[in-house]
Amino acid sequence: MSSLVKVLREKYGREFISVEELSGELGVSVSELIMEAKSKKIKVVKIGRNIQLPLKGIECMLSDEELNDNEYQNLLDQVATSTVTSEQEISDERIEVVECDVDMSKGCITYVQSTNRWLYQIDLGKTPDGRRIRKSKSFKSENEAKEALNIELAHLNEISQEVQERGIYWKGNLITSQTKLKDFFEYFLSLRTVKPHTIEGYFETARQIARDLGEVPLQNLTASVLTEFFNNFKKQYAQATINKTFGIFKRVLEFAKECELIEKNPMSNMKLPKTTKEGEVNKQVYKAFKDDELKQVLKACKEYSQCTYTMAKVLQYTGLRPGELRALEWCDVDFEVGVIHVRQAATQEREGMTLENRGTIRAVIGTTKTPYSIRKIPVNSEVLEVLREWQDFIKSDKSYEKARKCEYVFPSTRGGLIGSTGLSVKFRKAMQQAGLHGRGYELYTFRHTFCTNLIKQGVDIPTVQRLMGDNTTDVILKIYTSVEERDLLSATKKLKGYFENRDL
């Protein structure tokens, strides 16, 4: 038994410990502990709203020891049935990540009228993407809540002091105010708790920043230095890139402030720059096919290959994201009911990423963009018939011989998941063969066209949102505005013709 587990058993007098308690003992964040437990496949149990780790599981997590599944399950059953009995211990305690940026590092006491209980809340810091981690616990009386809050604050201050004395190290080097921005950026990104695709975007943003400021020490990143950087940056990039870069950069410097490496965030009072790149100010972002263009594109896809045509028809009537299309399986297509289920998406992960090295890439099946993206999309008989024909084609065509047992609707000819590049290449070649290359047509244009056509048919925004699988209406409303502007222009032209015919 490890010495740490022995100490924990003696200190807490039980065979399990919450991740918050373990976080305090080890001086690491709750999110890091949960990620470590997942990577070592350590099973956990939830009591109320608390995530509990059996001490035996912690022992396995800290070593290479393996635990028999049956033995482990018995431990979990014991934990689950040995529910604590005191009123205070079974009170509403939870750790949550919140969007609110209010600092509660000193804690607060609140009376909750609906439950007739007193609640303390305390800030545990921020995740790397800038959201607050907050802990709360409720009690019968105000005095109990105050006493518990003081104990928690004292415990957190003790941990904070230990961290300060120990210092922060990254790749064997102590991080100080003299640390170069590129090194601190890598340390910041190592604490990621976001999806692999998102962290890849973070690294790309960090590289753009590091090209100009990577060698600058943290303490030298003044407001004037950053203003000069963004004055040049806004001349080269579109507004979407500026928004992303500004937001991430600001969070990194805020994290440096929280680590007490800089006194204040030099970007705290900076305003978001507006792009001045030529051709970007009034650029239409969300392009959709016109009716005659869509006919041309579908005709080109059909003449190029059965696969490309089937993909185009599915995209035309579903508005799927390309990653959702790649991950679509035959079991997701309900031919009897006429529904396509969207429950996963193909994406890519990079391993070993640094600011100098993009690492190795591999295609994986993961979750959809957001939980809201899991949805059912009704489809008509035309789409179902095209899919049946494609299914028969795979069974008969020699080039798909290795893919016949594959579960994916659009597999690679080798029988696995088709890559994002492979999907795009098929469509691009179809456009080139039809002489349509260079017109800005891409797979995502089908999604914007799907949304545009729904709006034109008078479908309400909430229904469009559900079919698109978007958790916000930002993109939909922009497309709606674009459609409305075109309809207004068309209406005024008709009005002009009306008056001309009457010689008015």
Side-chain angles (χ1 to χ4, degrees), residues 315-486:
L315 291 173
Q316 176 192 358
Y317 284 100
T318 63
L320 293 180
R321 299 177 178 92
E324 294 169 344
L325 183 75
R326 291 169 57 209
L328 196 66
E329 299 180 7
W330 286 113
C331 62
D332 298 324
V333 182
D334 191 329
F335 286 98
E336 291 185 9
V337 179
V339 168
I340 288 180
H341 298 262
V342 183
R343 56 183 179 83
Q344 60 187 19
T347 184
Q348 57 187 33
E349 290 184 357
R350 288 185 182 270
E351 297 176 346
M353 281 188 295
T354 66
L355 294 188
E356 288 79 25
N357 183 0
R358 284 181 165 79
T360 56
I361 189 171
R362 65 189 183 98
V364 296
I365 294 294
T367 58
T368 53
K369 187 175 182 179
T370 69
Y372 198 89
S373 299
I374 298 172
R375 60 200 189 277
K376 299 176 184 178
I377 305 176
V379 289
N380 59 27
S381 58
E382 181 184 357
V383 177
L384 296 174
E385 184 58 32
V386 169
L387 282 168
R388 286 193 184 95
E389 290 174 0
W390 169 238
Q391 203 170 33
D392 293 338
F393 181 87
I394 292 176
K395 293 176 182 177
S396 60
D397 191 88
K398 289 184 178 180
S399 61
Y400 282 94
E401 187 175 355
K402 294 180 180 178
R404 286 170 191 166
K405 294 183 180 180
C406 184
E407 66 272 25
Y408 300 119
V409 175
F410 300 103
S412 70
T413 52
R414 295 187 300 274
L417 178 67
I418 190 171
S420 58
T421 303
L423 201 70
S424 300
V425 165
K426 287 178 181 292
F427 182 72
R428 195 183 313 122
K429 286 185 176 179
M431 295 303 98
Q432 287 173 340
Q433 184 173 296
L436 301 175
H437 185 61
R439 299 193 186 183
Y441 300 157
E442 57 183 29
L443 288 171
Y444 242 99
T445 311
F446 283 101
R447 180 168 170 80
H448 300 149
T449 305
F450 177 73
C451 181
T452 299
N453 290 335
L454 288 174
I455 292 169
K456 280 183 175 181
Q457 295 302 313
V459 180
D460 59 275
I461 297 297
T463 301
V464 175
Q465 188 180 355
R466 286 179 61 192
L467 290 169
M468 294 281 287
D470 280 328
N471 62 336
T472 67
T473 59
D474 294 351
V475 173
I476 296 170
L477 289 176
K478 286 178 182 177
I479 294 175
Y480 181 86
T481 303
S482 178
V483 172
E484 192 177 51
E485 287 174 354
R486 288 199 298 271

Side-chain angles (χ1 to χ4, degrees), residues 1-17 22 25-26 53-60 62-63 65:
M1 181 192 303
S2 69
S3 57
L4 174 63
V5 172
K6 186 176 180 181
V7 169
L8 293 176
R9 183 173 282 117
E10 292 175 354
K11 180 176 179 178
Y12 291 94
R14 57 180 189 259
E15 286 300 315
F16 61 93
I17 183 172
L22 186 58
E25 296 291 344
L26 298 179
L53 282 167
L55 291 181
K56 191 65 178 176
I58 297 170
E59 189 173 358
C60 294
L62 298 176
S63 67
E65 180 185 353

Side-chain angles (χ1 to χ4, degrees), residues 17 19 33-34 37-38 41-47 50-54 61 72-73 76 79:
I17 183 172
V19 289
L33 280 177
I34 293 174
K38 285 183 178 178
K41 297 182 179 179
I42 301 298
K43 298 176 184 177
V44 300
V45 68
K46 211 171 182 182
I47 298 180
N50 287 336
I51 299 175
Q52 306 282 347
L53 282 167
M61 191 166 67
Y72 204 5
Q73 190 58 52
L76 292 178
V79 172

Side-chain angles (χ1 to χ4, degrees), residues 106-225:
K106 294 182 180 179
C108 73
I109 302 291
T110 309
Y111 176 67
V112 184
Q113 190 171 5
S114 60
T115 60
N116 193 28
R117 295 181 71 86
W118 291 85
L119 180 80
Y120 84 59
Q121 288 183 290
I122 188 168
D123 201 332
L124 299 180
K126 288 185 178 181
T127 64
D129 57 355
R131 293 181 295 170
R132 292 281 181 190
I133 304 172
R134 191 161 295 162
K135 180 176 182 178
S136 61
K137 188 171 183 177
S138 65
F139 298 85
K140 275 187 172 181
S141 69
E142 183 179 7
N143 288 336
E144 285 179 326
K146 285 181 178 178
E147 184 180 349
L149 176 61
N150 290 333
I151 293 173
E152 185 67 27
L153 287 173
H155 181 56
L156 290 174
N157 288 333
E158 184 180 338
I159 295 170
S160 176
Q161 189 173 358
E162 288 178 4
V163 171
Q164 288 179 16
E165 292 173 358
R166 187 168 66 246
I168 302 172
Y169 285 83
W170 173 242
K171 293 185 175 179
N173 298 316
L174 179 66
I175 294 179
T176 68
S177 60
Q178 293 288 336
T179 298
K180 294 178 181 178
L181 175 62
K182 65 177 184 179
D183 296 325
F184 186 73
F185 230 128
E186 281 198 357
Y187 169 66
F188 170 82
L189 293 175
S190 73
L191 303 176
R192 61 190 183 274
T193 57
V194 294
K195 290 183 178 181
H197 183 70
T198 304
I199 200 64
E200 185 181 341
Y202 282 6
F203 265 102
E204 188 55 43
T205 299
R207 289 187 193 99
Q208 290 174 326
I209 296 171
R211 289 187 193 111
D212 293 324
L213 300 177
E215 298 295 326
V216 179
L218 291 173
Q219 67 175 15
N220 292 351
L221 291 169
T222 61
S224 59
V225 169

